[in-house]
């Protein structure tokens, strides 16, 4: 298990100077790629108005997903590499087309999505005690640890994403609930924001990318032995377990 560090915000500047934090994130991404890790997509964070208000920000953030962070539905997780994990339920989408035109329309995003799946993000932080601002979490790859994805693709034509009702349980007890509308009113609004932001930065979303669109309800602490399941109604369920005993 890694050892958490103090917050880095005093080293990187104020919340209005996010570019430096994203530069730190990118340095770590390039180091990971040089070590042979393969990028699989992006995650979006801070999509909930309540969380934005808590951190005093008015925008989401993003981080990079790698293939070795992806867990299939029902696969158990070795918790050893994690530091202080939490879980949250999300909708993930996979792109069929690039989103690289600069400013994107909502319908361009709709056309670009191949399918959606239910997902669980195992969020984690290198910052001790989760004492974070947006600068801390951006520098820490948007606090992404692992992500668990369902195996039954759902076409957008067959589901109303904002109306999706989410229920997350840990060891059978309900610990979080919400709807698709909790993610910026519609999960594809989050994808649109990300597509515009990455195009501006010169690293646009590409066909095949998986995008974790953001939490539909509160994140919860998890520990070895816990079974986490997210039920997203018409989209189906996704499940994992942290190995070990609680």
């Amino acid at each position: 298990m890694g050892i958490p560090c103090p917050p880095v915000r005093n080293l990187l500047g104020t919340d209005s100077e996010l570019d430096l934090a994203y530069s730190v994130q990118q340095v770590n991404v390039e180091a990971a790629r040089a070590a042979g890790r393969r990028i699989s997509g992006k995650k979006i964070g801070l999509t909930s108005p309540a969380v934005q208000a808590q951190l005093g920000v008015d925008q989401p953030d993003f981080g990079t997903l790698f293939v070795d962070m992806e867990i299939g539905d029902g696969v158990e997780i070795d918790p050893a590499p994690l530091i202080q994990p939490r879980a949250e339920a999300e909708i993930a989408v996979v792109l069929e087309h690039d989103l690289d035109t600069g400013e994107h329309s909502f319908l361009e995003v709709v056309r670009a999505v191949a399918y959606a799946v239910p997902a669980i993000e195992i969020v984690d932080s290198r910052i001790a005690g989760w004492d974070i601002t947006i600068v801390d979490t951006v520098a820490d790859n948007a606090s992404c640890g692992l992500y668990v994805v369902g195996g039954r693709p759902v076409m957008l034509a067959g589901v109303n994403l904002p109306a999706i009702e989410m229920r997350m349980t840990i060891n059978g007890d309900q610990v979080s609930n919400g709807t698709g509308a909790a993610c910026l009113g519609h999960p594809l609004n989050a994808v649109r924001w990300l597509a515009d932001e990455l195009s501006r930065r010169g690293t646009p979303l590409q066909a095949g990318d998986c995008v974790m669109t953001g939490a539909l309800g509160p994140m919860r602490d998890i520990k070895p032995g816990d079974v986490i399941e997210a039920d997203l109604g018409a989209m189906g369920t996704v499940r994992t377990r942290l190995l070990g005993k609680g």
Side-chain angles (χ1 to χ4, degrees):
M1 178 178 290
I3 299 174
C5 68
V8 297
R9 53 187 174 267
N10 292 334
L11 301 174
L12 299 179
T14 66
D15 292 357
S16 62
E17 298 170 341
L18 281 181
D19 281 345
L20 184 55
Y22 277 117
S23 294
V24 170
Q25 182 187 126
Q26 190 60 30
V27 166
N28 288 327
V29 167
E30 292 305 324
R33 293 181 64 192
R37 298 178 70 190
R38 184 163 68 88
I39 291 175
S40 56
K42 297 288 183 180
K43 68 148 286 185
I44 309 169
L46 303 180
T47 53
S48 162
V51 176
Q52 289 184 4
Q54 182 181 18
L55 293 183
V57 298
D58 60 359
Q59 62 180 303
D61 69 353
F62 67 85
T64 298
L65 303 176
F66 292 91
V67 170
D68 57 17
M69 295 164 60
E70 184 180 288
I71 308 295
D73 184 18
V75 176
E76 296 182 323
I77 294 172
D78 177 4
L82 302 171
I83 301 174
Q84 41 191 355
R86 296 175 174 180
E88 57 189 28
E90 306 191 13
I91 293 170
V93 300
V94 175
L95 301 183
E96 185 175 10
H97 305 292
D98 297 348
L99 286 169
D100 57 359
T101 60
E103 185 177 0
H104 299 82
S105 74
F106 184 81
L107 289 179
E108 284 177 323
V109 173
V110 171
R111 288 195 298 269
V113 172
Y115 57 84
V117 292
I120 298 168
E121 183 180 354
I122 308 299
V123 289
D124 201 5
S125 180
R126 295 180 178 88
I127 308 300
W130 281 92
D131 178 14
I132 61 171
T133 65
I134 191 171
V135 168
D136 297 297
T137 187
V138 164
D140 189 22
N141 198 29
S143 303
C144 189
L146 303 167
Y147 65 108
V148 187
V149 289
R152 191 189 72 178
V154 177
M155 304 301 112
L156 295 188
V159 66
N160 182 359
L161 293 185
I164 287 294
E165 295 186 359
M166 179 279 293
R167 176 177 177 269
M168 187 174 78
T169 61
I170 297 178
N171 302 323
D173 297 324
Q174 182 171 326
V175 296
S176 180
N177 67 282
T179 68
C183 181
L184 295 184
H186 194 302
L188 297 190
N189 288 333
V191 179
R192 182 183 185 182
W193 170 85
L194 179 65
D196 289 354
E197 183 69 13
L198 291 179
S199 288
R200 184 180 71 82
R201 294 177 178 273
T203 55
L205 288 168
Q206 298 178 330
D209 281 347
C210 175
V211 179
M212 297 285 286
T213 60
L216 305 185
M219 61 181 178
R220 298 302 185 194
D221 291 339
I222 53 175
K223 63 184 185 303
D226 282 348
V227 175
I228 307 103
E229 182 168 349
D231 184 338
L232 273 69
M235 289 189 63
T237 64
V238 61
R239 178 183 182 277
T240 190
R241 174 180 178 270
L242 290 189
L243 291 168
K245 297 181 179 180

